[in-house]
PDB file of all heavy atoms in Angstrom:
ATOM      1  N   HIS A 826     110.630 106.079 104.641  1.00  0.00           N
ATOM      2  CA  HIS A 826     110.080 105.064 105.526  1.00  0.00           C
ATOM      3  C   HIS A 826     109.862 103.764 104.732  1.00  0.00           C
ATOM      4  O   HIS A 826     109.190 103.775 103.704  1.00  0.00           O
ATOM      5  CB  HIS A 826     108.756 105.520 106.133  1.00  0.00           C
ATOM      6  CG  HIS A 826     108.889 106.779 106.922  1.00  0.00           C
ATOM      7  ND1 HIS A 826     109.483 106.789 108.168  1.00  0.00           N
ATOM      8  CD2 HIS A 826     108.529 108.036 106.654  1.00  0.00           C
ATOM      9  CE1 HIS A 826     109.463 108.023 108.624  1.00  0.00           C
ATOM     10  NE2 HIS A 826     108.898 108.810 107.722  1.00  0.00           N
ATOM     11  N   PRO A 827     110.406 102.654 105.196  1.00  0.00           N
ATOM     12  CA  PRO A 827     110.286 101.398 104.453  1.00  0.00           C
ATOM     13  C   PRO A 827     108.900 100.756 104.629  1.00  0.00           C
ATOM     14  O   PRO A 827     108.254 100.922 105.673  1.00  0.00           O
ATOM     15  CB  PRO A 827     111.345 100.505 105.078  1.00  0.00           C
ATOM     16  CG  PRO A 827     111.529 101.035 106.449  1.00  0.00           C
ATOM     17  CD  PRO A 827     111.279 102.509 106.357  1.00  0.00           C
ATOM     18  N   ASP A 828     108.457 100.071 103.611  1.00  0.00           N
ATOM     19  CA  ASP A 828     107.213  99.310 103.638  1.00  0.00           C
ATOM     20  C   ASP A 828     107.631  97.841 103.579  1.00  0.00           C
ATOM     21  O   ASP A 828     108.179  97.374 102.589  1.00  0.00           O
ATOM     22  CB  ASP A 828     106.362  99.677 102.438  1.00  0.00           C
ATOM     23  CG  ASP A 828     104.938  99.189 102.583  1.00  0.00           C
ATOM     24  OD1 ASP A 828     104.568  98.647 103.630  1.00  0.00           O
ATOM     25  OD2 ASP A 828     104.150  99.369 101.608  1.00  0.00           O
ATOM     26  N   LEU A 829     107.413  97.112 104.667  1.00  0.00           N
ATOM     27  CA  LEU A 829     107.884  95.756 104.781  1.00  0.00           C
ATOM     28  C   LEU A 829     106.858  94.777 104.199  1.00  0.00           C
ATOM     29  O   LEU A 829     105.939  94.310 104.859  1.00  0.00           O
ATOM     30  CB  LEU A 829     108.176  95.413 106.255  1.00  0.00           C
ATOM     31  CG  LEU A 829     109.180  96.321 106.936  1.00  0.00           C
ATOM     32  CD1 LEU A 829     109.239  96.018 108.414  1.00  0.00           C
ATOM     33  CD2 LEU A 829     110.522  96.195 106.278  1.00  0.00           C
ATOM     34  N   LEU A 830     107.023  94.465 102.927  1.00  0.00           N
ATOM     35  CA  LEU A 830     106.197  93.479 102.249  1.00  0.00           C
ATOM     36  C   LEU A 830     107.095  92.281 101.924  1.00  0.00           C
ATOM     37  O   LEU A 830     108.066  92.028 102.625  1.00  0.00           O
ATOM     38  CB  LEU A 830     105.562  94.085 100.996  1.00  0.00           C
ATOM     39  CG  LEU A 830     104.647  95.283 101.235  1.00  0.00           C
ATOM     40  CD1 LEU A 830     104.266  95.944  99.921  1.00  0.00           C
ATOM     41  CD2 LEU A 830     103.413  94.850 102.012  1.00  0.00           C
ATOM     42  N   ILE A 831     106.799  91.563 100.868  1.00  0.00           N
ATOM     43  CA  ILE A 831     107.677  90.479 100.448  1.00  0.00           C
ATOM     44  C   ILE A 831     109.037  91.054 100.057  1.00  0.00           C
ATOM     45  O   ILE A 831     110.084  90.473 100.356  1.00  0.00           O
ATOM     46  CB  ILE A 831     107.054  89.687  99.283  1.00  0.00           C
ATOM     47  CG1 ILE A 831     105.801  88.970  99.778  1.00  0.00           C
ATOM     48  CG2 ILE A 831     108.044  88.722  98.683  1.00  0.00           C
ATOM     49  CD1 ILE A 831     105.035  88.274  98.700  1.00  0.00           C
ATOM     50  N   THR A 832     109.031  92.199  99.388  1.00  0.00           N
ATOM     51  CA  THR A 832     110.253  92.906  99.089  1.00  0.00           C
ATOM     52  C   THR A 832     110.257  94.233  99.865  1.00  0.00           C
ATOM     53  O   THR A 832     109.208  94.768 100.176  1.00  0.00           O
ATOM     54  CB  THR A 832     110.372  93.220  97.589  1.00  0.00           C
ATOM     55  OG1 THR A 832     109.240  93.971  97.168  1.00  0.00           O
ATOM     56  CG2 THR A 832     110.454  91.916  96.782  1.00  0.00           C
ATOM     57  N   LEU A 833     111.406  94.752 100.136  1.00  0.00           N
ATOM     58  CA  LEU A 833     111.544  96.004 100.841  1.00  0.00           C
ATOM     59  C   LEU A 833     111.446  97.153  99.853  1.00  0.00           C
ATOM     60  O   LEU A 833     112.169  97.200  98.854  1.00  0.00           O
ATOM     61  CB  LEU A 833     112.900  96.061 101.578  1.00  0.00           C
ATOM     62  CG  LEU A 833     113.136  97.255 102.463  1.00  0.00           C
ATOM     63  CD1 LEU A 833     112.149  97.258 103.608  1.00  0.00           C
ATOM     64  CD2 LEU A 833     114.565  97.207 103.026  1.00  0.00           C
ATOM     65  N   ARG A 834     110.523  98.060 100.108  1.00  0.00           N
ATOM     66  CA  ARG A 834     110.303  99.217  99.228  1.00  0.00           C
ATOM     67  C   ARG A 834     109.878 100.403 100.046  1.00  0.00           C
ATOM     68  O   ARG A 834     109.400 100.250 101.161  1.00  0.00           O
ATOM     69  CB  ARG A 834     109.276  98.892  98.147  1.00  0.00           C
ATOM     70  CG  ARG A 834     107.925  98.527  98.748  1.00  0.00           C
ATOM     71  CD  ARG A 834     106.917  98.147  97.714  1.00  0.00           C
ATOM     72  NE  ARG A 834     107.222  96.833  97.233  1.00  0.00           N
ATOM     73  CZ  ARG A 834     106.656  96.270  96.187  1.00  0.00           C
ATOM     74  NH1 ARG A 834     105.744  96.897  95.516  1.00  0.00           N
ATOM     75  NH2 ARG A 834     107.012  95.075  95.784  1.00  0.00           N
ATOM     76  N   PRO A 835     110.012 101.623  99.507  1.00  0.00           N
ATOM     77  CA  PRO A 835     109.554 102.791 100.254  1.00  0.00           C
ATOM     78  C   PRO A 835     108.036 102.867 100.298  1.00  0.00           C
ATOM     79  O   PRO A 835     107.359 102.451  99.352  1.00  0.00           O
ATOM     80  CB  PRO A 835     110.130 103.979  99.484  1.00  0.00           C
ATOM     81  CG  PRO A 835     110.400 103.470  98.125  1.00  0.00           C
ATOM     82  CD  PRO A 835     110.656 101.996  98.272  1.00  0.00           C
ATOM     83  N   LYS A 836     107.465 103.399 101.405  1.00  0.00           N
ATOM     84  CA  LYS A 836     106.006 103.523 101.554  1.00  0.00           C
ATOM     85  C   LYS A 836     105.457 104.528 100.543  1.00  0.00           C
ATOM     86  O   LYS A 836     104.400 104.327  99.953  1.00  0.00           O
ATOM     87  CB  LYS A 836     105.626 103.981 102.949  1.00  0.00           C
ATOM     88  CG  LYS A 836     105.622 102.863 103.950  1.00  0.00           C
ATOM     89  CD  LYS A 836     105.024 103.310 105.251  1.00  0.00           C
ATOM     90  CE  LYS A 836     105.009 102.082 106.175  1.00  0.00           C
ATOM     91  NZ  LYS A 836     104.370 102.355 107.437  1.00  0.00           N
ATOM     92  N   ASN A 837     106.144 105.644 100.349  1.00  0.00           N
ATOM     93  CA  ASN A 837     105.670 106.696  99.429  1.00  0.00           C
ATOM     94  C   ASN A 837     106.599 106.734  98.221  1.00  0.00           C
ATOM     95  O   ASN A 837     107.597 106.027  98.130  1.00  0.00           O
ATOM     96  CB  ASN A 837     105.691 108.040 100.132  1.00  0.00           C
ATOM     97  CG  ASN A 837     104.765 108.027 101.346  1.00  0.00           C
ATOM     98  OD1 ASN A 837     103.684 107.469 101.298  1.00  0.00           O
ATOM     99  ND2 ASN A 837     105.221 108.596 102.432  1.00  0.00           N
ATOM    100  N   THR A 838     106.256 107.602  97.291  1.00  0.00           N
ATOM    101  CA  THR A 838     107.081 107.794  96.097  1.00  0.00           C
ATOM    102  C   THR A 838     108.499 108.235  96.495  1.00  0.00           C
ATOM    103  O   THR A 838     108.655 109.086  97.351  1.00  0.00           O
ATOM    104  CB  THR A 838     106.466 108.840  95.178  1.00  0.00           C
ATOM    105  OG1 THR A 838     105.128 108.429  94.853  1.00  0.00           O
ATOM    106  CG2 THR A 838     107.251 109.012  93.914  1.00  0.00           C
ATOM    107  N   LEU A 839     109.469 107.649  95.903  1.00  0.00           N
ATOM    108  CA  LEU A 839     110.866 107.971  96.198  1.00  0.00           C
ATOM    109  C   LEU A 839     111.376 108.867  95.072  1.00  0.00           C
ATOM    110  O   LEU A 839     111.410 108.489  93.894  1.00  0.00           O
ATOM    111  CB  LEU A 839     111.702 106.707  96.272  1.00  0.00           C
ATOM    112  CG  LEU A 839     113.154 106.866  96.675  1.00  0.00           C
ATOM    113  CD1 LEU A 839     113.248 107.412  98.089  1.00  0.00           C
ATOM    114  CD2 LEU A 839     113.859 105.525  96.575  1.00  0.00           C
ATOM    115  N   THR A 840     111.759 110.089  95.432  1.00  0.00           N
ATOM    116  CA  THR A 840     112.274 111.043  94.449  1.00  0.00           C
ATOM    117  C   THR A 840     113.801 110.984  94.494  1.00  0.00           C
ATOM    118  O   THR A 840     114.415 111.082  95.544  1.00  0.00           O
ATOM    119  CB  THR A 840     111.810 112.460  94.770  1.00  0.00           C
ATOM    120  OG1 THR A 840     110.379 112.465  94.820  1.00  0.00           O
ATOM    121  CG2 THR A 840     112.283 113.442  93.717  1.00  0.00           C
ATOM    122  N   VAL A 841     114.403 110.806  93.296  1.00  0.00           N
ATOM    123  CA  VAL A 841     115.855 110.746  93.193  1.00  0.00           C
ATOM    124  C   VAL A 841     116.327 111.813  92.217  1.00  0.00           C
ATOM    125  O   VAL A 841     115.583 112.251  91.343  1.00  0.00           O
ATOM    126  CB  VAL A 841     116.368 109.350  92.750  1.00  0.00           C
ATOM    127  CG1 VAL A 841     116.029 108.310  93.757  1.00  0.00           C
ATOM    128  CG2 VAL A 841     115.809 109.013  91.387  1.00  0.00           C
TER     129      VAL A 841
END
Side-chain angles (χ1 to χ4, degrees):
H826 300 287
D828 195 5
L829 302 173
L830 299 171
I831 293 175
T832 58
L833 185 64
R834 60 183 74 191
K836 280 190 178 184
N837 300 319
T838 303
L839 184 64
T840 303
V841 296

